[in-house]
Every structure is written in C-alpha cells, then in structure tokens.
Amino acid sequence: GAGVSQSPRYKVAKRGQDVALRCDPISGHVSLFWYQQALGQGPEFLTYFQNEAQLDKSGLPSDRFFAERPEGSVSTLKIQRTQQEDSAVYLCASSSDRVGQPQHFGDGTRLSIL
Amino acid sequence: AQTVTQSQPEMSVQEAETVTLSCTYDTSESDYYLFWYKQPPSRQMILVIRQEAYKQQNATENRFSVNFQKAAKSFSLKISDSQLGDAAMYFCAEAGTASKLTFGTGTRLQVTL
C-alpha cells in the first residue's frame, strides 16, 4: 500500500472488554513497531517485529497486552480486560530492514475506555 | 537507557520568520540516529529530518535544518521562512541499533500572521 494503514481510527470500549487494533504496514517493510501515545505526551515504544518474529516486547505495560504478526505483514495489537489507563492513541510504524531507516507512521487508533 | 528532552513545551513564530526548537538526548550507544517528526492534529507522525550520528555535517531538508552538537548531545531544529502549515507538535527522537524510537515530550509550534 501507499502508506501505513491502521483501523479502526477510533475505538470506544467499556472497562473489562477486549479490543483488537490492526496495522497494515507499507508493502515490503520488514520492521513493524507499535507505540502508545498518552494525551500530551510523546509516543512510547511497546513492541517490535522483524517479519513475523517479535524481537522486542519490553515496552508492553502488562500481560494484558499482546501483539502478533503471523505472516510477517499485518499486525494486531490486542488488549485484554481493558482498564481506563489504557486510553491512549496507539501508533503503528513500519520501516525497511536497515538500521536507522526512518519509520513511517499510520494515523493511529484513538482508544477510549469508559 | 536512552532519554530525549525537549525543554520548550510551546513556541511561537511569525510567518516568514525563523524559529529554533531545542532537543537534548542521552544514549549509551556509539552508533545512533536522530530524527525530528511533525505531528499535526490529524495525528500522523511525519518525518521532517534525519541525522546519522557518525556524520559531522548537519542535515538539511529545504527550509528545515539541524544543528547537531555531538559532544553536547544537542540536536536542535531550525525552521526558516515559517509557513502556516508548519504549525504542529514537533517531536525529537533517537534510535540506536535496536531501531526503536525514544521520543521527547514534544514542542507545540504556533505560526502567527
């Protein structure tokens, strides 16, 4: 595709519900990243995939957060038993395989937990 | 651990004037990359400029340039001939060999007529 596509753009869920956020990276991009951006803050790293391998999940805040990229393309970030503190914008980015290459971001999913 | 600090929460510049946004960073890596991203209200992070730490020459992209002071761990962004469309949040970010970005807290830039 022409750019990184994320869906849904907005998601409202009740506390305790499970949610799934989708990211479709730029075609051919090996690396995929998820970030969480709280209101008024800079994005914070959650997890990183190289193809289908999840190489770094050190930023996931709890075991309620789970990410996958089974075929090395589309990725899904799942949050189980959502809490109010999970409310944030979730950004996905992709890049080519070379270290230091710029990451290209999607428009993000704004998640609101009621 | 890497840290990025942006000490200016808000800046204002008149159209056609020049403004400089400050950024300092700290990293234990010898090989790293620095970026400025722009985030308009639409939320999409847009790459403004990229600097490779091993290069002494400051990066430039049209009206955007950086002042990279490696010893001082400083990476400021200069916007020349500011335009209304430059109004946005600007984030400084650093990436080491692990590739993940560490962002600052951002500077909101206002452009006035």
Side-chain angles (χ1 to χ4, degrees):
Chain A
V4 178
S5 177
Q6 291 189 246
S7 60
R9 188 156 170 80
Y10 301 92
K11 177 69 178 177
V12 179
K14 292 182 178 179
R15 188 164 57 94
Q17 289 183 331
D18 298 349
V19 298
L21 312 180
R22 176 188 167 103
C23 173
D24 197 344
I26 292 172
S27 178
H29 275 188
V30 170
S31 299
L32 186 145
F33 302 82
W34 284 98
Y35 295 88
Q36 181 190 58
Q37 186 175 21
L39 189 63
Q41 300 295 317
E44 292 192 352
F45 170 78
L46 292 176
T47 188
Y48 161 55
F49 289 86
Q50 188 174 68
N51 295 306
E52 68 278 5
Q54 189 175 21
L55 299 186
D56 187 347
K57 54 182 181 180
S58 62
L60 295 177
S62 77
D63 59 6
R64 297 186 295 103
F65 287 71
F66 173 76
E68 61 183 3
R69 194 186 184 197
E71 297 178 359
S73 179
V74 171
S75 176
T76 303
L77 177 67
K78 297 179 180 178
I79 309 174
Q80 298 176 324
R81 304 181 304 281
T82 52
Q83 303 293 318
Q84 280 198 320
E85 61 263 27
D86 300 335
S87 296
V89 173
Y90 290 84
L91 295 168
C92 176
S94 69
S95 71
S96 66
D97 194 25
R98 291 171 53 201
V99 172
Q101 291 304 301
Q103 294 179 23
H104 301 267
F105 284 80
D107 288 344
T109 294
R110 181 179 296 279
L111 176 63
S112 299
I113 305 300
L114 305 179
Chain B
Q2 288 89 336
T3 59
V4 176
T5 302
Q6 295 179 249
S7 59
Q8 306 156 315
E10 289 193 15
M11 292 285 284
S12 183
V13 63
Q14 282 193 320
E15 200 177 17
E17 297 297 308
T18 295
V19 65
T20 298
L21 308 184
S22 301
C23 173
T24 59
Y25 63 93
D26 194 12
T27 179
S28 56
E29 301 208 37
S30 57
D31 190 16
Y32 56 92
Y33 302 81
L34 298 165
F35 304 85
W36 278 97
Y37 279 90
K38 168 185 176 181
Q39 188 178 41
S42 65
R43 295 204 304 260
Q44 186 181 28
M45 285 280 191
I46 301 166
L47 178 68
V48 175
I49 200 164
R50 171 179 171 266
Q51 175 80 42
E52 296 158 322
Y54 62 86
K55 288 187 176 179
Q56 292 186 339
Q57 186 173 7
N58 289 323
T60 63
E61 285 288 343
N62 301 314
R63 299 182 295 108
F64 299 87
S65 62
V66 298
N67 184 4
F68 175 45
Q69 301 289 327
K70 191 171 184 177
K73 295 186 176 178
S74 171
F75 183 61
S76 60
L77 175 69
K78 186 172 82 171
I79 306 173
S80 304
D81 185 26
S82 296
Q83 301 175 359
L84 293 177
D86 295 334
M89 284 291 290
Y90 285 81
F91 291 96
C92 178
E94 181 269 345
T97 53
S99 297
K100 64 184 178 184
L101 290 166
T102 299
F103 286 88
T105 52
T107 297
R108 181 174 301 280
L109 179 65
Q110 292 184 321
V111 181
T112 58
L113 294 171

